[in-house]
Amino acid sequence: MKILLALLLCLPLVAQAASMNEVDYQDQDPGVAPYATRILVTQQFMRMDSGEDGGDFILLDRTARRVYNVVRGDRRIFRYDARPVKLAKPVPWKITESVTQLPGNTRKFSLGVNGKPCMVITAAPTLQPDTVAALVTYHATLAAVEADTWQHTPLDVRDQCDLAQHVLAFRRVLQYGLPLEEVYANGRSRHYVAHRTLPENPALFRLPADYQVVTLPLTSSK
């Protein structure tokens, strides 16, 4: 009886053990060999890296809506806080979308802007919903930065597909769930590899204490 009671007392501790989700992708940019991207998600953080624990990484504080880009070679951390997007939609601005239902409750959809095809994405609505929520927060946090980049880009090289993907329609990119395949008009692609649930590793979500933190835009630094 004493042993049984001891086991019962331990059960809540096991049930409450912190975990993290891992999603692995293979990404490719035009003219570059494919490379790995790992996404780790906890209740408070999301980390994106190349799969190496000791390498550069991007960290999202989901609660604070703050993104850190850790560059180990420079011993610097670039910090981005969520800001309102101050950018009016270009005129004209018309998003078109087509959706195809696939087996396994997945959907394949395409998005375009002003008649130009921008992306084709296959997504799973029930796979890793918390990872999808973290990705939405990540893109929302950086939307103002992306809008600034757009405004400082010369008119003759602006791509309205980039504006849709990163600023004005980023939620639509994730509207049907976790992307399994993403193919973009600019030649970039992303392919789902695997996912799993692991015990949380707090060290992976800890910023190096001795790095310089640069807050962007350059209004202040510490």
Side-chain angles (χ1 to χ4, degrees), residues 15 36 53 57-59 77-78 94 98 104 111-112 122 125 154 165 172 175 197:
D53 293 354
F57 65 95
I58 294 173
L59 183 70
I77 301 171
F78 297 95
K94 182 180 180 180
S98 63
L111 290 176
T122 302
Q165 178 186 349
R172 297 183 72 156
Q175 64 184 320
T197 300

Side-chain angles (χ1 to χ4, degrees), residues 4 16 51 87 150 170:
L4 178 59
Q16 295 174 11
L87 177 67
W150 165 266
F170 64 84

Side-chain angles (χ1 to χ4, degrees), residues 60-62 64-67 80-83 135-145 170:
L60 165 70
D61 186 324
R62 301 175 64 181
R65 297 185 66 205
R66 181 174 296 144
V67 171
Y80 305 86
D81 292 313
R83 295 182 285 117
L135 286 168
V136 170
T137 301
Y138 170 77
H139 288 293
T141 302
L142 292 181
V145 175
F170 64 84

